[in-house]
Amino acid sequence: MSADVLERLRGGLVVSCQADPGSPLRDPFIIGRLALAAVMGGARGVRIQGFDNVGAVRAVTDVPIIGLTKTDRDDTDVYITPTAAEAVRLAELGAQIVALDGTDRPRPEPLAAMFAAVHGAGALVMADISTVDEARLALAAGADIVGTTLSGYTPHSRPGPEADWMLLDELRHAGLPFAAEGRLNAPADAARAMSAGAAFVVVGSAITRPDVITGWFTRALQDTLPE
């Protein structure tokens, strides 16, 4: 897979179209419709979780897909595409980029071997990291780009509630290629992330999860009520 796919995404928006278990949107057809709506709005690519969803989205659009799985395992805290078999299957279904956990947590398979498997399947690797040190290690192991996705989700990274702006600055100053993702909940956040040096910006909840967005509004209204 040529790095041209990263050039297609550069300077643009990638929309994460995912639905949690229990969501009424958790259906491959609906995920496909969400992806088409995102592309209609100007998204240059989409981030899609699950084999069926990747296949459904690939069937309706030719924009770059960042594919991933989420698998709970008893032997590791790594849950974003934890095995090479899952990563390769995503590539076979049409994901030009495969996202996987690039943190330094104990994992079922070595990162370098997983990256090699993805490249062998013709796709690029996006390593989701939580610190700049993890970014350096992932890129040294063969990742094509890192994403700030997991900042705040590991014990050794900075917690939210805002995006980890310091991590973006650290990545830029280190000259490392990165995509900004995580807690970017407004257009101004996306613009700030791009100005901070991101190759592209990934936004999910604020665009494709109406249950989450509705919760933001309802909590804001509740905060205005007298006690």
Side-chain angles (χ1 to χ4, degrees):
M1 169 64 68
S2 168
D4 288 349
V5 66
L6 291 178
E7 289 304 314
R8 291 179 63 186
L9 298 178
R10 189 170 302 280
L13 174 68
V14 171
V15 174
S16 181
C17 304
Q18 300 183 44
D20 289 337
S23 168
L25 304 183
R26 196 174 173 87
D27 178 274
F29 175 80
I30 295 176
I31 297 299
R33 298 298 104 178
L34 288 173
L36 285 178
V39 173
M40 183 180 296
R44 295 188 186 177
V46 289
R47 181 168 162 124
I48 307 294
Q49 182 268 326
F51 301 137
D52 291 343
N53 293 329
V54 168
V57 173
R58 177 48 69 225
V60 297
T61 181
D62 62 356
V63 302
I65 293 175
I66 301 173
L68 66 143
T69 62
K70 292 183 178 178
T71 307
D72 290 324
R73 296 172 59 110
D74 295 332
D75 59 342
T76 178
D77 290 330
V78 170
Y79 70 97
I80 295 181
T81 321
T83 67
E86 291 170 85
V88 168
R89 182 58 179 153
L90 291 166
E92 292 172 343
L93 289 167
Q96 293 103 320
I97 302 174
V98 175
L100 49 85
D101 186 308
T103 68
D104 63 2
R105 294 179 288 190
R107 65 186 57 255
E109 300 175 19
L111 278 181
M114 292 189 65
F115 294 170
V118 172
H119 289 150
L124 301 179
V125 171
M126 177 175 172
D128 293 339
I129 53 86
S130 67
T131 68
V132 68
D133 288 338
E134 290 173 345
R136 289 192 181 96
L137 291 172
L139 290 164
D144 299 284
I145 194 167
V146 298
T148 59
T149 319
L150 291 175
S151 176
Y153 297 96
T154 60
H156 50 274
S157 61
R158 302 180 188 93
E162 292 188 350
D164 191 346
W165 301 113
M166 188 175 295
L167 177 57
L168 270 62
D169 288 339
E170 291 170 344
L171 293 166
R172 182 183 73 251
H173 291 315
L176 304 179
F178 72 94
E181 180 175 7
R183 303 188 298 277
L184 300 171
N185 294 330
D189 293 336
R192 179 177 174 182
M194 190 67 67
S195 297
F200 57 88
V201 175
V202 183
V203 177
S205 295
I207 296 176
T208 57
R209 296 179 65 188
D211 51 336
V212 172
I213 301 167
T214 300
W216 295 343
F217 281 85
T218 55
R219 285 190 294 274
L221 293 179
Q222 289 168 356
D223 289 343
T224 68
L225 298 176
E227 296 183 0

